[in-house]
Every structure is written in structure tokens, then in C-alpha cells.
Amino acid sequence: TGGKAARRLLVLNGKGLDTRGTDEESRLAFRSKAVLADYDSHIRRSAEALGVEVEHVQTNDLDACIERLRVATEDAIVINPAGFMNDQELVDCIAGLEKPVIEVHYGNFVAKGKTSKVTTVCRALICGAKLESYTLGLRAALAALDPADTEFDYPPASG
């Protein structure tokens, strides 16, 4: 086909996402019965609707998470750091990436009085929109790749 290649996005879910919704404690803590397979199917449906290729990865291993980010060939990254949201090594890794990184969370952790160090090095933060946080994250990642995204930046980039 002579068309432009589809954008490729990485969705990376961190520590604890594999057990979300699988027991009463988790369901109560996150006010959700959604399990990782529900996240995966939502992410894949959203990517298809947006016309992008998506790689969805979940890991409970911080080193594996960091390595996957370092070797990412995708155009942009959507990350729910989950249990890694305050790990400085992850912050340092993301700070060194030269592609847009959007942080997403199912729930509104800010309303619970929590913070994420990862937010300080991400292009955007989307939280509290449940599974739709991922759709919005994918859309934000795509927008960040569009040259028109800098139209209103001030001062304008020189170059």
C-alpha cells in the first residue's frame, strides 16, 4: 500500500495491574472489578478506532519496565506506572526519553491524597476517567506527535 505507516504506540502498565480487580481488596481499593484482560481489550479497541498499532505490556519488575522503555521503538508511550509511580529510577528513565510519554491512571489518585513522581517528567497526566483514561492517553500521545501540537507554544521553538 502507498499509504503512510500507522503510528505505533506502547502502552505500559506497571506493578500490580495484573492483580487489579481479582480480589475483594483490590475491587474496593480501586472501586472497580476490571481485570487486566479488560484493560487490554479496551486498549486494543481504542487503538483500532484511532488507526494506530499498539503494544500492551504489563510488568511487576521495575528493571524490566525500565528496559522496555529504553528499547522502545514505538513513536510514543502511554504509561500507568501503578506501583512504580514513585520510583526515582523510572523517573530518570522517562526523563531521558526523546518521545512523548503520557501518564494515565484508572482512578483519581490525587483525590486520594497521593502523588506520582512520574508525572513530573511526563508530557501529560490523565487520571480518573477509568478505562477511558487509556483512550485519552492514546489520543494525547498521537496529538503530541502532530507538528500542529506546537502551534501555540511560546516562545516558539527556533529552528
Side-chain angles (χ1 to χ4, degrees), residues 7-11 50 52 75-79 99-104 123-124 126 134-146 149:
R7 291 290 194 176
R8 296 173 53 246
L9 304 177
L10 170 64
V11 176
L50 292 168
V52 299
D75 299 305
I77 298 163
V78 174
I79 185 170
K99 57 184 72 186
V101 180
I102 310 297
E103 182 179 0
V104 300
R123 167 93 178 209
I126 299 166
Y134 289 87
T135 306
L136 296 170
L138 292 170
R139 289 177 58 91
L142 281 176
L145 294 168
D146 185 338
D149 186 59

Side-chain angles (χ1 to χ4, degrees), residues 12-32:
L12 181 56
N13 276 311
K15 185 177 178 181
L17 261 292
D18 59 326
T19 58
R20 289 270 172 94
T22 60
D23 58 32
E24 191 67 9
E25 181 182 357
S26 170
R27 288 188 288 269
L28 288 171
F30 294 97
R31 298 182 177 182
S32 172

